[in-house]
Structures are given as C-alpha cells and as structure tokens.
Amino acid sequence: MSEEVDGCTQRNTSKRWQSRIQRWSVLAICWFSYIFYRGCVVGQIKYDPKKAKMIIQHRNIWTKRIALCIKMFGLSLDLFLIETIFSAVRPFTARDKSLRYISQLFNKLVLAIALQLSLWNTSRLYLWLSSLSWNRSFVAAVNDVIHVVILVDDIFGPLFLEYLPLLILYILQLHLTLLQIFSYTYVISVLNILLLELFYNVYVAYQLLLLSCIAAFNCFLKSYLQEQTPSRRQRLKLIRLFRLYAKISNGHQDIKVLWLPVASMLFSNIVELVVHWSSIIGCILFSHQLNLVEKWGFIFWKHLGPGLAPLLRILFVGLCNDRLQQMLNFLNLQLLIVNLNQPNELEETFCYEIKKLQTCFDVQLRAQPIRNQIMSDHQVCGCAFVLDFFFCTILNSVSCVQYEISSGSGFRGG
C-alpha cells in the first residue's frame, strides 16, 4: 500500500514539474518575443494585462520617427551590400574565360543570390509586421489560442509539457541562432535572422501549447475509459472535449494562413546553407594547411551557426508534426473506443449527442487535419521531408566543393 502511495506521489510531483516547465518555457518565449517586437517599434500589437489579451494600439508618432531614423542609419552601414550584389556581374565582362574566372563567377553568383533572398525575405517580414490587416489577423488568432488554452487548462487540469526533447532542441537552436548572428557581417542578414526568429518563436510557443492540449485530451480519455459507468461530470467533459477540439482545428486553419508564407522562408535559404556546408566540408577534407584547432575555430565562428540553426528550425517543425500526428491518431482511437463502449444505462440523449459529435469529429479530422504545412496546403513538414531536405543540402554542398576543386583554383573556403 505504501509503495502505491509513493508511486502516486512521484507521478504527481513529476506532472507538477512538467506543468511548471511548460508554463515557464511558453511564457519565456512569448515575453521575450513580445519585448523584442515592441523594441523594434514596428506594427501596432500590444498586450493588455487588464483584458489578458492582445489588442491593436497605434504607436506614438515621434517614437516611430526616431526609430525610423535609427533603422535607416543601421541600413546605411550596409552600403557595400550593393557592391557585393553587383560584383556578381563583373566576371561576365572579363575577356579571360579561364577556369579561375569561371570559379569566381560561380562563387559571386551564389553569394549574390543568398544576399538577395535575405533582402527579399527581410522586406516581406517587415511589411507584414507593419500591415494593419496582418496585425489584426494575428491578434485575432493569438486571442483565440489564449481563450482555448485557458478553457482546456480549467476543464482538463493543468497542462504539462509534452515531449521534453522538443524544448531541448529549441534551446539548442536558440544558442546556434546567436552564433549565427555573430558570424554575419551584413546588417541586413542579421535583421533577417532576428525577424524570422521572432515569427518562429511565436510558432514554437503555439506548437508547445497545441501538443499540451491534445495530451490533456488523451489523458482525460484514458481515465474516462477506466470508469465502468462515467459520472455526469465526466460525460459533460467529454462533450466539451469534442467542442474544444473543433475550436482548436478551426483556429489552426487561421494560423496556417499566417504561417505558410513564413514557413517558405525556412526553406528558401537553402542557397545560404549550401554555401556554409560546402565551406565546412571543404575545410575538413581539403584545407591541409590548417591544423585541427584552426579548422575548428574557422568552422565554429563562421559556419557552425549558419549551417546548423536553419536545419534545427526545420527539424523542430518536423518532429512537432510527427508527434502531433501520433497523438491525434491515438485521440481518434480512444474516442472510437468510447463511442463503441457506451454503457446501456446512460441517457439516450447523451448517447445521441456523443454519436453526433463523433461524426463531426471524424469529418473535421479528415477535412481539416491539424498538420504543419509548408509552402502550400498539400505539403506537410514531417521527419521524412526533413531528411530529404538535409540530404539535398549535403548533396548540393558536396557538388559545390567538387566544382571548386575541379576548377583548379583549390579550395579556399568562405
């Protein structure tokens, strides 16, 4: 008897700590992102502590003007960015068509394409943050998430962290992102990473909350199935579970509209990834003039962050998607068992309501699947896609190293 009590106490303590970790991690991500967003003086989103939700509030005109001057000064430091982009055209005018000039042409073109993509993505992110219609859509989506999470937390108990390795992976990605920022020389590239990380952090917090809500549903159904005759309170909770899932599924469709354009940017920087990984591979295999310490210093300070941080962002999304799919399949299976094992002594109106809600759930599960789409509604970012993307990156990087070696100029790195 004492062993059962000790085991129950340990499980309660573990869940209590998981609940605290989940709450602290989500709050830290959200507040850090919110403070950085307000510090950038862009957009009109503000958190109202009295209403406990996001609102639209116009910025002070003088604050916007001062911030604009600071931003223009920062961008003026990147005047040599234009020279770098146009330098990709110079080798075309050269009369010497030797392999050395062709190699220079290739390297400058790849660098120019990476910088132009960075400039284009930064412009898109900044325009979205400045757009009033986008701000309103974002505020509505965030407030819906806050409302649903509060309901799930109140009805099905405190939410706890689901799948701790996801949080560890995010923290590792965050450290590599800081290393990525320090490795850049262009202000526009740093701004691109900061704005992209701002959007990405919000989506990470949403993913952690979404997984926690589905885990709470599964935990309740597990206890529901253990009861031979569920109480009236449990039956009411079951009905509310169906309705809360419908709200989560509908809200996810709105979030998907906001996320898809940002998700495409996670994969558009494959050119930059190829540049950094070709430098890493070439440095390890062909830079014989450097010793081991010099090779590690070169890779760590210039290429490790830019080479790993984007891949970990994609891996996080893929792991979340696969985990979410497993939990939804388990949720569907448990609801099917609940529907088939309804006791005969339950009220006829309750059984009719459950069958109706089960039918709606089945239709919604197939018509509006909760998935992490990328670039389009028909492309899902799972671990299979992540492995294909990793393989494509490494294959292109090896091809770039091979081309540079075959051009006769030898590997120089970047």
Side-chain angles (χ1 to χ4, degrees), residues 6-20:
D6 292 340
C8 183
T9 304
Q10 290 178 358
R11 285 194 297 270
N12 291 335
T13 303
S14 176
K15 286 186 177 181
R16 197 158 49 239
W17 273 108
Q18 288 182 356
S19 177
R20 291 176 182 175

Side-chain angles (χ1 to χ4, degrees), residues 2-166:
S2 61
E3 292 180 356
E4 294 181 359
V5 174
D6 292 340
C8 183
T9 304
Q10 290 178 358
R11 285 194 297 270
N12 291 335
T13 303
S14 176
K15 286 186 177 181
R16 197 158 49 239
W17 273 108
Q18 288 182 356
S19 177
R20 291 176 182 175
I21 292 174
Q22 191 265 3
R23 185 179 298 273
W24 292 341
S25 59
V26 171
L27 285 176
I29 294 171
C30 292
W31 276 111
F32 174 79
S33 303
Y34 177 74
I35 292 172
F36 175 75
Y37 163 79
R38 295 293 295 182
C40 289
V41 192
V42 58
Q44 303 174 15
I45 302 173
K46 185 179 181 181
Y47 178 74
D48 190 347
K50 295 182 179 179
K51 299 179 180 179
K53 64 179 183 179
M54 310 297 287
I55 60 172
I56 297 292
Q57 186 178 76
H58 296 285
R59 297 270 191 170
N60 182 276
I61 185 64
W62 286 107
T63 304
K64 293 174 62 176
R65 289 176 179 176
I66 294 173
L68 180 61
C69 293
I70 296 175
K71 294 171 187 175
M72 294 301 295
F73 173 76
L75 291 177
S76 66
L77 301 177
D78 257 359
L79 290 178
F80 58 94
L81 173 66
I82 301 176
E83 180 183 355
T84 304
I85 295 176
F86 281 102
S87 65
V89 186
R90 291 179 184 174
F92 286 109
T93 61
R95 296 181 180 180
D96 188 355
K97 300 301 180 180
S98 63
L99 288 175
R100 180 181 178 184
Y101 277 97
I102 294 175
S103 178
Q104 290 180 356
L105 169 63
F106 176 77
N107 293 331
K108 290 182 180 296
L109 276 177
V110 171
L111 179 60
I113 291 173
L115 289 174
Q116 288 173 351
L117 283 174
S118 177
L119 183 62
W120 171 246
N121 289 337
T122 304
S123 302
R124 293 172 65 192
L125 292 171
Y126 192 84
L127 286 175
W128 289 335
L129 289 175
S130 304
S131 171
L132 182 58
S133 60
W134 191 94
N135 281 208
R136 287 174 176 169
S137 300
F138 180 82
V139 166
V142 171
N143 288 335
D144 287 342
V145 171
I146 294 175
H147 177 65
V148 171
V149 168
I150 291 175
L151 288 177
V152 174
D153 189 77
D154 291 341
I155 297 171
F156 299 99
L159 300 178
F160 56 89
L161 182 65
E162 172 62 29
Y163 206 53
L164 182 61
L166 286 175

